[in-house]
Amino acid sequence: MRMIRFGVILLTGLLLTACGQSKFYNYRGPEVTQVVINKSDRRMYLLHNEEVLKAYDVGLGFAPVGHKQVEGDGRTPEGIYYIDRRNPNSAFHLSVGLSYPNPQDRAFASTMGKSPGGDIFIHGQGQTYKKGAPRDWTAGCIAVTDKQIRDVYSMVREGTPVVINP
């Protein structure tokens, strides 16, 4: 009987420990109605109407000044986009996708005979930059820490507007 009790306690402890290691958080607070990213001060804000729920320092594309125009330019887009997908298996821990390129982005790149690129995400650091990253290191995405992307991933929903300011 003592061994069974010990086994149950041990199993319960292991299960609770495993639950604590999940990369997925549950969020039950106010709805995030908008994400605002200010590139010049490298800050991202999760808003409920006018109230800031969370604020984070961010990393940008390796060429952070200016609007993304073509694939490979290393810039982070500027303008209004939407969360359009979620990637729980991201190479950068977790990620939420942005609706870049929009029709205007495609049209502009087309006038230059180039692709606008794509796959722009808000994501974590992943294994590559687990011990730290340069300030602006992505190919055009918005990067936060792995802990912070767990917050973002749990708080934002598909369709949430994302405003990216210069």
Side-chain angles (χ1 to χ4, degrees), residues 3-25:
M3 288 301 277
I4 293 174
R5 181 182 292 171
F6 177 75
V8 169
I9 290 170
L10 181 63
L11 182 59
T12 302
L14 289 173
L15 288 173
L16 289 174
T17 301
C19 290
Q21 299 298 320
S22 174
K23 67 181 179 178
F24 301 104
Y25 289 170

Side-chain angles (χ1 to χ4, degrees), residues 70-93:
V70 296
E71 184 173 16
D73 66 7
R75 294 181 180 159
T76 300
E78 297 171 358
I80 300 172
Y81 299 94
Y82 298 89
I83 302 294
D84 66 353
R85 61 201 180 278
R86 301 162 68 75
N87 184 359
N89 301 311
S90 172
F92 299 102
H93 193 59

Side-chain angles (χ1 to χ4, degrees), residues 44-66:
M44 177 171 68
Y45 303 92
L46 306 185
L47 303 173
H48 172 72
N49 300 323
E50 301 297 320
E51 176 189 358
V52 174
L53 300 173
K54 295 276 188 171
Y56 304 104
D57 291 329
V58 299
L60 303 171
F62 61 83
V65 177

